[in-house]
Amino acid sequence: MPENGRSLRRQLTATFGMLIGIGTVLFALLALNSVWQNKVQSIGESSRYAAQFIAAVVAEQVALRDLGELQTRLHTIQNDVLITRTCIYGAESTLLAGFGTQPCPPSADTVLEQHFYASHPVIWQDHNAGTVKVHISYAVAHAQMLRAMYPVLAIFAGLLLLALLLVRMLAARASWSVVDLAGQLERSDSEPLDLSEHRTAPLEVRTLAGAMNRRLAHLIDARKAAERLAAQRRDLELAERRARQLIRNIIDLVPYVIYAQRPDGSLVFANQATAALYETTVETLIDPAFSRQDREDCLIFSHSTAAHSEAVLADKRLQIARVPFEGRQATLVIAIDVTESHRLQQQLQFSQRLEVVGTLAGGIAHDFNNLLTPILGYASLLADQPLAEDVLHKVRQIELAAEKARRVVQQMLAFSRQQPTEHRPTDLRAVLESVASLMRASVPATVQIVVHAEPLPTVLADPTQIEQVLVNLCTNAVQAIGPSDGSIELRASMTEIQDAAIPPGRYANIEVLDSGPGIEPEVMKHVFEPFFTTKDVGKGTGLGLSVAHGIVRSHGGELFVANRPGRGAAFTILLPERSQAGAAS
């Protein structure tokens, strides 16, 4: 029910209360007037009766002019509280006696103001002996009449209150049906109104309730339809948000730079890869306040007018397409980083070159080995002959040169993987100690060799080949240090690898660290290529690191090289754990 305005109950109560109040007041005025008239008449009759009675009692004393007895008797019979004064006059209208709160007038003909009066002749023996005159004050009479009116006023006041209470009850009864129906509407607008308790309600109320029920039924049906539509809309919006979020997550997971650009250069959309390219957030990147100049290095290709086109920028291949956005054309650009593709292509070409060189080296090594066999055989036979000292010296030089040639042949066979190998459980810590002891005996005293090896599980490897790899790396390290003081550090530990370059798992990590000047970046790109060397002619074959790289690869591992700024180079060998290597085998 609204707070402002008057309720039907109050309106009915006020209307009928006003009518009953006016009627009650009019009836009360008529009743009071009747009481007033009756009281006036009663006072008149009482005064006349009092005058007649007094005249009969004092007739003898008036006739005999017994004034003392007259006054005594008058004092005795005067007991009416209404009578203000009683005056007895003789036949000649002279005052004989009087009694009252005020003195009597001297003559019977004198009329007192503000008084009622009644007179009666005094008859004695059929003669008029005088007159009795009774006076009643207006004030006393009015007070008496008002006292007579108080009960009447109390009765009418009670009747008025009772009538108002009855009107209030009737108004409540008349408005109860309307109020109850309004309450039902306020409590629930999803069910029809209950009219079971309103069978005795006025016809108008029942007609109104029926019309409201019909209208309410239409509203309930409309609301249910609206709720179904709203639920369907919420489901569609939720599905759309989920689809958008899924697409957004997928696009953010794509490692390519993806963005959409308006004709003015501002971005409509950008993924995480685009934000990472500029080292900022997506929100900052799509902000119109973001400087276009900061984007022109990569985003200028969006000005293409073709529906679909391609462009190449440094290490990125751009796919460009025109798409509608907000009633205008926007440019969708997908920048694919081809660095990894180029690296894999270069690695493939390198592997192909290694394979070709390995095949060539294997064939040359076999032929060269066949030539070295008789040389070594005949040199050995000559060395056993009783020849002159200078001839024997020359024969030994031939043997030394042939042995060096054989070692080169062995390296070429290992590089081409045509040399037979035997993988067996190998203690890498023992191999490290053995290589360190061997190298300490052959390196200058200015170079220290330190070993830090944790207890390692065994790996499946060819110990001889692993020793060859470590010797090659240590030899290169000694040559890099040169004649100055330095150190070579051999470290070994187990590590967990989660890298796409090699299969994930546990690997033995062997590091060869030197304190030399390090490797130039341009040289580092070619260190594992066969026959590549930075040494002077005749001081290196260029096969040491390529052979080491091939041996580690043949064990299912990987060989890496890195520069340590100001501290030399670091070669890292990763060999799979025994169980992992066995599974790979």
Side-chain angles (χ1 to χ4, degrees), residues 262-504:
R262 299 183 182 92
D264 62 357
S266 60
L267 295 186
V268 176
F269 169 84
N271 66 346
Q272 292 294 340
T274 308
L277 179 64
Y278 294 98
E279 298 180 351
T280 184
T281 62
V282 173
E283 291 74 14
T284 303
L285 200 59
I286 64 177
D287 188 352
F290 187 68
S291 174
R292 185 185 176 199
Q293 183 177 1
D294 295 340
R295 298 193 295 265
E296 286 184 347
D297 56 345
C298 180
L299 310 185
I300 55 175
F301 296 97
S302 60
H303 299 292
S304 173
T305 58
H308 296 278
S309 59
E310 291 188 6
V312 177
L313 174 65
D315 56 353
K316 293 180 176 58
R317 185 174 69 252
L318 304 182
Q319 297 287 340
I320 305 171
R322 288 288 186 176
V323 294
F325 178 77
E326 295 180 352
R328 303 175 64 186
Q329 288 292 324
T331 304
L332 178 64
V333 179
I334 301 177
I336 302 174
D337 191 345
V338 295
T339 304
E340 183 66 16
S341 177
H342 289 167
R343 189 186 69 82
L344 293 176
Q345 187 176 4
Q346 292 174 357
Q347 186 175 355
L348 176 60
Q349 293 174 354
F350 177 67
S351 299
Q352 290 174 344
R353 288 201 304 270
L354 286 180
E355 184 178 359
V356 172
V357 172
T359 303
L360 178 62
I364 295 173
H366 278 293
D367 293 339
F368 196 53
N369 194 41
N370 292 334
L371 296 175
L372 287 176
T373 301
I375 294 174
L376 286 173
Y378 286 117
S380 178
L381 292 174
L382 287 175
D384 294 334
Q385 297 298 320
L387 301 175
E389 188 62 31
D390 57 341
V391 177
L392 287 176
H393 176 71
K394 293 176 181 178
V395 170
R396 291 192 187 95
Q397 290 300 320
I398 294 173
E399 284 183 327
L400 290 175
E403 286 294 339
K404 288 182 180 180
R406 173 174 285 183
R407 284 196 294 270
V408 172
V409 169
Q410 290 176 349
Q411 289 181 346
M412 293 176 66
L413 290 174
F415 172 74
S416 64
R417 299 185 184 179
Q418 296 183 15
Q419 186 177 12
T421 60
E422 180 184 359
H423 291 187
R424 61 178 182 271
T426 302
D427 184 359
L428 292 179
R429 189 171 183 180
V431 173
L432 286 176
E433 294 291 351
S434 174
V435 172
S437 299
L438 177 64
M439 294 304 299
R440 287 192 187 101
S442 59
V443 301
T446 56
V447 178
Q448 295 182 354
I449 298 180
V450 182
V451 177
H452 296 288
E454 300 176 359
L456 301 174
T458 58
V459 297
L460 287 178
D462 187 331
T464 303
Q465 289 190 338
I466 299 300
E467 286 182 357
Q468 181 181 354
V469 171
L470 293 173
V471 168
N472 287 349
L473 296 179
C474 290
T475 302
N476 284 346
V478 171
Q479 293 174 354
I481 294 173
S484 59
D485 295 342
S487 63
I488 299 173
E489 189 173 355
L490 302 178
R491 295 180 180 176
S493 62
M494 293 301 296
T495 184
E496 187 79 20
I497 298 296
Q498 297 291 337
D499 194 342
I502 58 176

Side-chain angles (χ1 to χ4, degrees), residues 9 12-18 20-21 24 157-175:
R9 178 178 177 181
L12 291 175
T13 302
T15 301
F16 287 106
M18 184 181 297
I20 291 176
T24 302
L159 291 175
L160 180 61
L161 291 177
L162 183 62
L164 291 176
L165 181 61
L166 182 61
V167 166
R168 186 175 179 85
M169 293 174 60
L170 291 176
R173 179 61 183 173
S175 62

